[in-house]
Amino acid sequence: MKVLAILYDGGQAAVDEPRLLGTVENQLGLRSYLESLGHEYTVSSSKEGPDSDFQKHIVDAEVLITTPFHPGYLTRDLIEKAKNLKLCVTAGVGSDHIDLNAAVDHKIQVLEVSGSNVVSVAEHVVMSILLLVRNFVPAHEMIERGDWQVSEIARNAFDLENKVVGTIGAGRIGYRVLQRLVPFDCKELLYYDYAPLPAEAQKAVGARRVEDLVEFVSQCDVVTVNCPLHEGTRNLVNTELLKHFKKGAWLVNTARGAICNKDAVAAALRSGQLSGYSGDVWNVQPAPKDHVWRTVKNSLGGGNGMVPHYSGTTLDAQARYASGVKTILANYLDHKPQDPANIIVGLGKYETRAYGQR
Ligand code: NAI
C-alpha cells in the first residue's frame, strides 16, 4: 500500500524538537510503523502545481494524509486522477481542503481526528478575544519601540466583562469557547448554529441561541467563528453581513479564512465598523507576503491579532493528532470499524452533519 503525506516543512525547529510531529522531518512518527508492515510511505511539503510531489504521487496512492496547517488541496480533478485512492486522513480537524462532494461521488472515505485540537483552538480564541478587546498588540509594540504613552493604548482598551460574545458554530470548539468565557461575567453569551445545543449543555454555560444570523451579529460586541468551511459558510461574513455588526465590534476567526471575506474585513477595520480582527486562518495558506490581513489596522493603528495557522498545532495537539492518525490507519489496515466521530465522509455519503445541512 502507498501512503502519501503532505506535511509542512519544520526546518531546524523540527530537527531540534522531535515533538513537532506534523512536519516533513518528523513524519507524524509513522515511518517505522508503516515500513515495518511493508507499506510505502512518501512524505513531502511540495503541494502546488502539476510538478508538485502531491500531484505526482496522488495518482497511485491508496491513503492520503494531509493537514489543515499546510493544506494539500484535493480538488475534484485530482480525485479523478487518483484511481487508487480509498482513504483521506486529516491530521487535525477541518477537511474543507478536500472536495468532500467529489469524495462522496468517488466513494473515498474522509476521516479526521475529531477533538484532537479543540481545546488548543478554544484557548487561542479566548486569548484572541482578550488581546483585541484589551488592545494588547499595539501596547506591546509600543514597549518594543521604547515608547511609553498610556493614553494612546487606553483610549481603545476595554474589559470583556459586561460585553456580549457570540459564536457562529457551537460544536466542539464553539462550546469550549463558551465554557471558558463563563468566568469573565459577560453580559450575555450567544450562539448561532443550525444544530441546537442539548438543553443541559446550553444551561451549563448560560448561552442563548439566536436563529437568525443578522439578528445574532447585531447583538454581539464580539463574534467568534467556529464552524467548518462548506458551501453554506464560504464568504458568510461579507460586506452585507458586516453592515449589521454593532459598530466597533471585534471579530475572531480561527475556523477557516474563507468564511470571512478578505477585502470586506479589511474595509470594515479601516472604516471603524470593526475595531479588530484576529485569528490564525487564511483564505490561502501559506498566506502571500502582501495579504492585506497581515498589516491592516484600525484608524488608531491597532486591531490586528493575526498569526500564522498554529492555534490547533501546539505540541500537545500534535501528540494527539499524530496518535489519532495512527489509530485510523491501524483500523483501516485491520479492517476494524472507525470511531464514528472521526468519519466526515463514509463510503459514498456524509457521516457528519457539521459540513452543512443536507
Ligand atoms: P464540530 O463539528 O464539533 O462543530 C462545528 C459546528 O458548526 C457544528 O455544531 C455545526 O452544526 C456548526 N455549523 C456548521 N455549519 C454552520 C453554519 N452554516 N452556521 C452555523 N453553524 C454551523 O467542529 P469543531 O471541532 O468545533 O471545529 C470547527 C472548525 O474549526 C473545523 O471544521 C475547522 O475548520 C476549524 N478548526 C481550526 C483549527 C485551527 O488550528 N485554527 C483547528 C481545529 C479546527
Side-chain angles (χ1 to χ4, degrees):
M1 176 178 83
K2 176 165 173 175
V3 179
L4 170 64
I6 301 300
L7 303 174
Y8 56 91
D9 286 319
Q12 190 58 41
V15 176
D16 297 344
E17 178 50 83
R19 290 176 295 174
L20 278 166
L21 285 166
T23 58
V24 167
E25 290 76 3
N26 297 321
Q27 315 196 328
L28 291 165
L30 291 173
R31 180 163 296 284
S32 55
Y33 167 68
L34 286 170
E35 288 183 349
S36 69
L37 296 172
H39 303 299
E40 183 185 340
Y41 187 36
T42 304
V43 180
S44 176
S45 64
S46 148
K47 68 182 182 85
E48 303 297 340
D51 297 327
S52 64
D53 289 342
F54 180 36
Q55 297 209 13
K56 270 192 269 173
H57 288 283
I58 194 68
V59 291
D60 61 349
E62 181 171 332
V63 175
L64 172 68
I65 302 171
T66 52
T67 145
F69 308 104
H70 180 72
Y73 296 100
L74 189 66
T75 57
R76 184 176 282 273
D77 273 6
L78 283 181
I79 285 184
E80 276 158 14
K81 289 183 192 150
K83 301 286 182 213
N84 250 356
L85 190 61
K86 297 208 168 52
L87 174 67
C88 296
V89 187
T90 301
V93 171
S95 300
D96 51 276
H97 55 286
I98 291 166
D99 186 326
L100 297 174
N101 294 329
V104 169
D105 295 344
H106 289 264
K107 296 202 165 42
I108 295 168
Q109 298 195 63
V110 181
L111 276 84
E112 51 186 51
V113 190
S114 293
S116 57
N117 53 14
V118 295
V119 165
S120 322
V121 180
E123 289 185 2
H124 195 99
V125 172
V126 173
M127 176 184 78
S128 296
I129 292 173
L130 285 169
L131 70 80
L132 289 183
V133 171
R134 306 197 58 86
N135 208 20
F136 175 84
V137 175
H140 179 70
E141 288 168 348
M142 172 183 283
I143 286 302
E144 284 203 0
R145 277 199 312 274
D147 294 342
W148 185 286
Q149 188 58 52
V150 173
S151 56
E152 286 300 324
I153 302 301
R155 68 183 291 182
N156 202 26
F158 299 85
D159 297 337
L160 184 55
E161 181 180 66
N162 219 20
K163 302 295 182 293
V164 178
V165 183
T167 173
I168 299 180
R172 295 177 184 89
I173 296 173
Y175 188 70
R176 280 165 179 77
V177 170
L178 295 174
Q179 284 180 312
R180 280 156 181 74
L181 289 176
V182 169
F184 284 92
D185 295 326
C186 295
K187 188 172 188 180
E188 240 195 326
L189 297 177
L190 306 181
Y191 75 99
Y192 169 80
D193 193 320
Y194 52 70
L197 285 168
E200 274 307 298
Q202 179 162 327
K203 202 171 147 211
V205 293
R208 177 165 65 86
R209 180 174 176 222
V210 182
E211 290 187 49
D212 179 84
L213 184 57
V214 168
E215 264 179 46
F216 167 83
V217 297
S218 66
Q219 296 174 59
C220 293
D221 297 298
V222 180
V223 173
T224 151
V225 185
N226 298 294
C227 57
L229 173 63
H230 55 77
E231 303 93 313
T233 59
R234 186 175 294 277
N235 206 31
L236 186 68
V237 182
N238 53 30
T239 304
E240 182 51 33
L241 188 68
L242 281 161
K243 283 186 200 153
H244 298 282
F245 275 54
K246 270 194 188 174
K247 187 157 177 64
W250 296 276
L251 175 59
V252 172
N253 175 16
T254 52
R256 284 297 175 260
I259 297 172
C260 297
N261 181 284
K262 170 170 74 83
D263 297 322
V265 164
L269 200 52
R270 289 189 185 115
S271 75
Q273 180 60 10
L274 286 180
S275 285
Y277 184 72
S278 181
D280 67 331
V281 286
W282 304 73
N283 56 328
V284 181
Q285 294 188 183
K289 278 207 160 50
D290 61 352
H291 197 294
V292 64
W293 287 359
R294 285 182 184 264
T295 50
V296 65
K297 300 266 166 52
N298 62 26
S299 62
L300 297 174
N304 185 326
M306 290 305 290
V307 294
H309 191 172
Y310 84 103
S311 71
T313 190
T314 57
L315 293 183
D316 300 301
Q318 294 191 47
R320 291 188 294 261
Y321 67 66
S323 128
V325 169
K326 191 172 177 184
T327 304
I328 290 170
L329 289 178
N331 289 339
Y332 177 75
L333 292 168
D334 298 342
H335 306 286
K336 284 194 187 152
Q338 299 286 358
D339 178 348
N342 287 343
I343 310 176
I344 304 302
V345 172
L347 275 178
K349 63 178 170 67
Y350 278 88
E351 293 289 350
T352 173
R353 276 183 257 178
Y355 280 80
Q357 290 169 294
R358 294 187 165 78

